[in-house]
Every structure is written in C-alpha cells, then in structure tokens.
Amino acid sequence: MTTSQTLIDQLTATGDYKVIRRLKPVERYHEDTGAEKHIGIYLDTEATGLDPDTEKVIELALVPFEYDDEGRIYRILPAYNALQDPGVPISAFITSITGITDEMVAGQSIDLDEVARFVSGASLVIAHNARFDRPFVESLYPGFEDIDWACSIADVNWNEEGFEGVKLEYLGYKYGFFYEGHRATIDCQAGIELLSQTLPSGELVMKRLLDRSGRTDVRIWAERAPFQKKDLLKSRGYRWSPGGEGVRKAWYRDLPENQVDDEMLFLNREVYPKLVGVLPMDRFDARARYSKRV
C-alpha cells in the first residue's frame, strides 16, 4: 500500500516538485539533553491599526516554550490567548486581514493577571516584528518593559542566509510548511516552528536569534547633517526622526557597538564637510530594544 510519505518522497526525488505540509503544532521538538533550560514566550498581537499610540489590541497570544543556550527547543507549554473589545468599531480592512469581527470581541478582555503570570516565569519574549508588537503590549501591561525581547525578523540575518523575504508565511514555505495565518496563536506556533529549523549555514535559527539579540546596539544621531546628503543617509539605512518632546530631530541609525568606529569614518568622509569628533549616541540592549521607550 502506497503511503503519503512514499508519494512525497517520489515527487521530491524528481527535483520538479516541492511538497509543503500543513503545520501541525507539536508538544516537543527535542528530547531532554540535561542542558539548563530557559522559558521563552513567542508573542503575537492583532490590533485595530498600526499606531500603538492611537490603536488598540484586539487579540493577544502567548505561547511559552523551553529552550537552551544552544538554541535547542524542548517542550511547548500551555498557551494563553484572548480577544479584547477595543471600544471602537473594527474596520472592514482589519477584519479582512485578521478574521476578527466586532461581534467576536464584544465584551471580551485580556486577563492581565494571567499575562503577568506568564511573563514572570520567562527569560525572553520573541515576536515576528517585535518593533510592532512590543509597543502595543507595553501599553497593555508594563511588565513587558522589564524583560528581554528578540525579533525573529530583525535578529536573524535572513537575507545574508539567502532568503528573499522575511514574512512568516514565506519563511514557513521555504522550510516546507504552511498555515492559516493572521490569528495570534497559530502565528506563534508557526514562529516557534521556524525557530526550530536550521539555517543554510548550518546553525539553528533559535541559536542565531539568541546570539544576535544579546548584542548591544548603538543609535547614532547624525545631527546637523547637510540636507543634500539625505538620500545618501537613507541608502545607508538611516531613518528620519521629526523630533518632539524629549526626541531628537535628526537622521539616525542603529548598529552593533563594534561597527560604530567604521560608521563615524563614513560620516566624516561622505556626509559632513568638516570633521565631526562626537555625535549623540544612545546605547541599548535586549531589555530596551524594540520598546516604545527607544
């Protein structure tokens, strides 16, 4: 009797087909090695829009899991998922993306005591685009300010590993699985599945994320850079900060601490007409990275 796996193997062996499987969440990825384990939380939110200052969370999922310093993932622990009534109508556009309707969230709320219990037992929170998720959940529960964060987009150098995109669905496809996305819990489960994989260079995705998220970053503020250099700065990866209360008005770039000297050489050679010895710099690590405070 021909099995599904036999057919898959036959198709794959031709070199003309790639078979992808529906993601089926598992309870364990790796047998116990005796290594010291930590608790990570994969987090995902759905919201009424993109701006954490004006929009509201309508769904939160927390999926905790065990991992060790080598990036091995062990047990997947019981998850928390909740809808929340934002107090305003959900737009048709957001419903089309998330599948969440006004009727689904009516009278619903996130249990912050339960959220606190999850966060108190964890060493690290991970999101796929933590720059989006962290400011939203910090507004919900301040304990998210006091824990290390990592991003499974920014803290894994996907492009250098040969991947042409960083969307979770695309990366899942490249690793041979698919799922029905844009609901918080399944997105978390897909994220953990991705972390369990091995990069083309041979390193576990989770190990690469741990190493990169443990760095210290420096934000260089290119204050008083000549206006005519704006396109050069943008091509270099600088972003514009329009300023405001307590915020600088200048071009800025975040980079690892060990690249600061080279960046200062570039700025003095290509941007500033006169030698600049010192520029404002902010240093931050995983405790502050992706936070609305930075």
Side-chain angles (χ1 to χ4, degrees):
M1 183 177 180
T2 303
T3 65
S4 297
Q5 186 58 53
T6 300
L7 294 173
I8 290 171
D9 292 342
Q10 290 174 346
L11 284 169
T12 303
T14 67
D16 295 326
Y17 300 92
K18 177 181 176 66
V19 179
I20 62 172
R21 298 175 171 83
R22 180 183 296 277
L23 173 64
K24 294 182 178 179
V26 300
E27 295 182 356
R28 177 184 292 273
Y29 280 96
H30 202 286
E31 292 303 317
D32 198 340
T33 63
E36 180 182 3
K37 300 181 185 65
H38 314 282
I39 301 296
I41 292 177
Y42 208 102
L43 175 150
D44 189 56
T45 59
E46 304 296 345
T48 57
L50 299 178
D51 187 345
D53 292 329
T54 58
E55 306 295 345
K56 305 293 184 181
V57 172
I58 55 177
E59 186 176 25
L60 172 67
L62 308 171
V63 180
F65 62 96
E66 297 174 335
Y67 69 94
D68 66 20
D69 293 335
E70 296 304 313
R72 291 181 289 254
I73 295 175
Y74 298 91
R75 291 186 302 152
I76 308 301
L77 304 174
Y80 176 75
N81 180 270
L83 295 169
Q84 177 145 297
D85 191 335
V88 296
I90 298 172
S91 71
F93 174 70
I94 294 298
T95 294
S96 71
I97 294 174
T98 65
I100 300 173
T101 65
D102 291 327
E103 292 74 21
M104 291 170 61
V105 300
Q108 300 293 314
S109 63
I110 294 168
D111 185 341
L112 296 183
D113 289 336
E114 191 70 357
V115 172
R117 185 178 69 83
F118 272 72
V119 173
S120 67
S123 301
L124 180 69
V125 175
I126 304 168
H128 201 71
N129 193 5
R131 198 179 300 276
F132 170 83
D133 291 284
R134 184 169 189 177
F136 272 104
V137 297
E138 286 182 339
S139 297
L140 276 178
Y141 172 63
F144 282 115
E145 296 180 357
D146 300 320
I147 189 169
D148 289 354
W149 278 72
C151 178
S152 49
I153 292 179
D155 292 322
V156 181
N157 50 337
W158 296 107
N159 292 337
E160 294 175 27
E161 288 283 344
F163 294 88
E164 297 180 357
V166 295
K167 284 192 173 183
L168 191 52
E169 293 94 333
Y170 167 79
L171 293 170
Y173 162 76
K174 296 298 287 185
Y175 277 107
F177 69 89
F178 72 96
Y179 67 102
E180 305 300 328
H182 295 299
R183 285 301 303 274
T185 296
I186 188 62
D187 282 355
C188 291
Q189 292 164 338
I192 295 172
E193 177 75 16
L194 181 64
L195 294 176
S196 74
Q197 304 296 325
T198 301
L199 292 164
S201 60
E203 188 172 44
L204 289 171
V205 175
M206 182 66 180
K207 174 61 173 172
R208 179 69 56 82
L209 177 141
L210 291 173
D211 289 346
R212 287 173 63 89
S213 67
R215 71 192 184 278
T216 296
D217 279 341
V218 176
R219 176 165 294 175
I220 296 181
W221 294 92
E223 287 192 329
R224 298 180 298 279
F227 176 79
Q228 62 268 28
K229 297 293 185 177
K230 63 181 179 64
D231 291 336
L232 175 62
L233 289 167
K234 286 172 66 175
S235 68
R236 183 79 172 183
Y238 281 79
R239 299 180 178 186
W240 174 251
S241 169
E245 185 177 354
V247 180
R248 299 179 190 276
K249 184 178 181 179
W251 290 97
Y252 71 92
R253 184 186 181 194
D254 298 340
L255 66 166
E257 195 170 32
N258 61 5
Q259 296 179 17
V260 169
D261 290 344
D262 287 343
E263 193 64 19
M264 287 298 298
L265 287 173
F266 164 80
L267 290 170
N268 277 306
R269 184 177 63 247
E270 304 291 343
V271 175
Y272 290 102
K274 294 182 179 180
L275 182 66
V276 175
V278 178
L279 286 172
M281 297 185 192
D282 300 320
R283 283 173 166 77
F284 51 93
D285 57 13
R287 186 59 52 96
R289 193 176 292 117
Y290 312 121
S291 173
K292 62 183 180 180
R293 296 164 293 160
V294 176

